Amino acid sequence: MNHKVKRFHLIGLLVLCLVLLGPSAYASDWVIEINNGDTELEPVDAEPYLNEDGRTMVPLRFISESFGADVEWLPATQQVIIRLKTTTVDFQVNSDLFRVNGKTRQMDTEMILDPETGRTFVPLRFALEPLGVAIEHVEFLSTGVLQIDLDQSDNIFNIRIGTDSQDLVRQLGQPQAVGLSAYGYEWWIYSDDYDQYLQVGVDDNQVVALYSNSPYFTYMNTHVSMDYGSFRETIAIEDIVKTTYDHVALGIQQPGHGERYLLVEGDTAIEWFIDLEDHAISSIRVTKLPYILTQRTYDFTYSFVGGSKPDYSAPTLTPDQQVQVDDTNSLVLFHLNNIARKKRGLSVLVLDERISDLALSHSKDMFIHDFFDHKSPNTGSLGDRFATWNISYRSISENIAFGQADGVYAHEGLMNSPGHRTNILSPGPSHIGTGSYHRYYTINFKE
């Protein structure tokens, strides 16, 4: 191979690759074994190397198959297709672009086809991370050993609490929308593929929250659509979640209605939302403490010794920030309604700006005049409002919610309310409008 090569052993926390050099330095003399209890692979026929940019280049087929993936080479197009469980990764020779489940990503160097060995090479991180194997640290040691420490923490699409925002963009690309939560962090919304929908909370360039209802999402050996019985066998749930955070002893009460369950691991709160009709996990939300407390979604008690009294109040929003929060919640409701429909084989609804304005006006009406009802003392019934706004229709329906911390909680609650669920999953509507205002949520459906 015509590359600057540094010979090494690969050593991982879960993976041990032993490089045994024979009498010559040709790649065919290398033997790499993966020892994870019971796996031993054939000798690798292509030698890893450092490229000119300092990237650790590895033979793609070998490293992918080491982790149980199926590898297909398409000579006509010079593509490599990697498949592992629900993930499909598509690499292209002489390109720094690749696709994960159809989504385009970018590497920091191109995949190359070595003419001597006939093997394709990519940077080590991009060979493993699309398969859900995260690397925490890679280091060449003075003894000629490359040490690879694998990050074993749970993640969503290889993103975890604490991930740097630059790594987030490197892994997933730019979000389709950036909004604002009411709790001091932004929501980065990845919505171009509803099967891989993801919301990422970002504060001070770090991931502080994650939410997904994607069937590709697994966390702590649970996954979206996992049946309720298996979930309860997998996760031990206490009525009162006891933990300590930043010198404060906390006791967080489970809601008790069976629609969601909370577990705290270290400084991370994990919530599993349950679809009561499907008897399965509908989505999973992961949040760094103390944001979960700031949201006031759970009743909790606390005590502390030393230090100052903790402040779990939400930040005070400017009028402009409140508008951003309301717009974000409205957008989230639009996406989550459509995802619920798509999962069940129904058509997705078209977002209608005028209907959204109408829905927002009703949310404002309820907030300003302190009522919660479909019929307003000021604007009348839903039909009256559509007539006043001169919006024609064949049939209309409306969902309203109040008090939920954001659009995610509002949607999950509506899906567990039979009448509201019927509206969301009705085959009739073609258009939707969503309007959120200060924890009042209105969704209008139109055929």
Side-chain angles (χ1 to χ4, degrees):
M1 296 173 59
N2 298 320
H3 306 291
K4 297 178 182 179
V5 176
K6 181 170 183 176
R7 299 179 179 86
F8 50 79
H9 302 291
L10 299 180
I11 300 179
L13 296 178
L14 296 179
V15 181
L16 178 62
C17 305
L18 301 180
V19 180
L20 305 178
L21 290 181
S24 68
Y26 293 105
S28 60
D29 294 323
W30 282 53
V31 177
I32 299 181
E33 296 177 349
I34 305 293
N35 298 318
N36 56 5
D38 57 359
T39 302
E40 183 171 327
L41 301 178
E42 295 297 323
V44 65
D45 58 359
E47 183 177 340
Y49 67 94
L50 280 178
N51 71 4
E52 292 78 3
D53 297 323
R55 301 294 181 262
T56 304
M57 304 292 285
V58 294
L60 183 54
R61 175 179 291 276
F62 171 77
I63 200 69
S64 300
E65 289 181 343
S66 299
F67 285 84
D70 293 323
V71 181
E72 181 182 5
W73 164 246
L74 304 179
T77 56
Q78 294 198 313
Q79 290 174 282
V80 178
I81 311 297
I82 312 296
R83 297 181 179 88
L84 179 64
K85 297 179 180 178
T86 57
T87 300
T88 300
V89 189
D90 182 346
F91 291 93
Q92 176 72 54
V93 170
N94 296 332
S95 174
D96 60 356
L97 300 178
F98 66 106
R99 291 184 298 171
V100 182
N101 291 330
K103 284 189 174 183
T104 301
R105 303 282 182 261
Q106 187 169 24
M107 300 183 285
D108 50 12
T109 191
E110 295 180 352
M111 182 175 83
I112 68 102
L113 174 62
D114 178 64
E116 183 177 334
T117 63
R119 295 296 181 230
T120 53
F121 287 76
V122 297
L124 175 62
R125 288 186 179 274
F126 293 98
L128 294 182
E129 288 180 345
L131 302 179
V133 181
I135 299 173
E136 182 174 321
H137 181 68
V138 180
E139 181 181 0
F140 283 103
L141 304 181
S142 59
T143 55
V145 173
L146 177 68
Q147 181 171 298
I148 304 172
D149 295 331
L150 302 181
D151 188 342
Q152 301 178 72
S153 59
D154 286 291
N155 65 87
I156 301 177
F157 299 127
N158 223 20
I159 304 299
R160 53 191 44 76
I161 299 299
T163 294
D164 184 88
S165 58
Q166 290 183 342
D167 287 338
L168 171 62
V169 172
R170 179 173 62 83
Q171 290 275 16
L172 301 181
Q174 295 290 344
Q176 281 65 63
V178 175
L180 186 65
S181 80
Y183 310 104
Y185 59 85
E186 294 180 333
W187 273 126
W188 291 23
I189 300 174
Y190 291 87
S191 58
D192 61 338
D193 181 351
Y194 277 166
D195 288 335
Q196 301 177 66
Y197 181 82
L198 177 65
Q199 293 179 213
V200 184
V202 177
D203 185 23
D204 195 22
N205 294 318
Q206 282 200 334
V207 172
V208 297
L210 295 161
Y211 170 82
S212 182
N213 51 17
S214 168
Y216 295 106
F217 172 30
T218 62
Y219 201 89
M220 293 183 69
N221 296 317
T222 67
H223 58 86
V224 172
S225 79
M226 184 180 198
D227 70 87
Y228 175 77
S230 298
F231 160 68
R232 291 304 303 268
E233 290 176 0
T234 303
I235 302 296
I237 298 295
E238 301 290 341
D239 290 338
I240 298 179
V241 179
K242 296 180 179 180
T243 189
T244 301
Y245 176 76
D246 193 22
H247 80 272
V248 178
L250 294 161
I252 308 173
Q253 181 71 50
Q254 295 284 356
H257 46 53
E259 294 184 13
R260 68 175 183 271
Y261 293 90
L262 173 72
L263 180 69
V264 174
E265 291 281 309
D267 65 351
T268 303
I270 306 99
E271 297 171 279
W272 290 268
F273 293 88
I274 306 299
D275 187 304
L276 298 182
E277 182 166 316
D278 292 343
H279 304 287
I281 296 173
S282 60
S283 61
I284 304 175
R285 183 167 181 159
V286 184
T287 310
K288 182 180 175 63
L289 288 172
Y291 294 102
I292 193 76
L293 307 175
T294 304
Q295 294 171 180
R296 299 289 174 168
T297 307
Y298 297 87
D299 293 330
F300 65 91
T301 60
Y302 65 86
S303 61
F304 63 99
V305 177
S308 58
K309 180 181 179 181
D311 182 9
Y312 299 128
S313 58
T316 300
L317 302 177
T318 66
D320 180 66
Q321 288 173 327
Q322 184 63 58
V323 170
Q324 292 180 61
V325 169
D326 294 334
D327 287 347
T328 301
N329 285 327
S330 298
L331 179 63
V332 166
L333 284 172
F334 164 67
H335 288 313
L336 297 188
N337 272 267
N338 268 341
I339 293 169
R341 294 175 61 85
K342 185 175 184 295
K343 281 184 176 181
R344 293 160 178 83
L346 298 168
S347 62
V348 296
L349 304 179
V350 176
L351 184 65
D352 187 304
E353 290 187 9
R354 292 199 67 226
I355 298 177
S356 290
D357 290 341
L358 175 59
L360 176 59
S361 73
H362 188 60
S363 292
K364 285 183 177 180
D365 187 18
M366 290 189 290
F367 172 79
I368 293 171
H369 297 100
D370 193 23
F371 74 95
F372 180 64
D373 201 323
H374 293 285
K375 187 170 184 178
S376 165
N378 307 294
T379 63
S381 67
L382 176 62
D384 293 333
R385 291 191 288 276
F386 266 75
T388 299
W389 283 63
N390 196 28
I391 300 175
S392 61
Y393 61 88
R394 292 178 58 188
S395 65
I396 51 175
S397 59
E398 181 176 72
N399 284 349
I400 58 175
F402 164 66
Q404 292 82 5
D406 60 23
V408 167
Y409 291 102
H411 171 77
E412 296 290 351
L414 290 169
M415 281 295 290
N416 279 324
S417 172
H420 296 105
R421 183 189 185 96
T422 297
N423 287 342
I424 294 170
L425 301 181
S426 170
S430 57
H431 291 73
I432 185 174
T434 57
S436 305
Y437 193 77
H438 290 265
R439 291 199 175 195
Y440 283 84
Y441 309 93
T442 300
I443 306 168
N444 291 155
F445 304 90
K446 186 196 88 162
E447 180 182 5

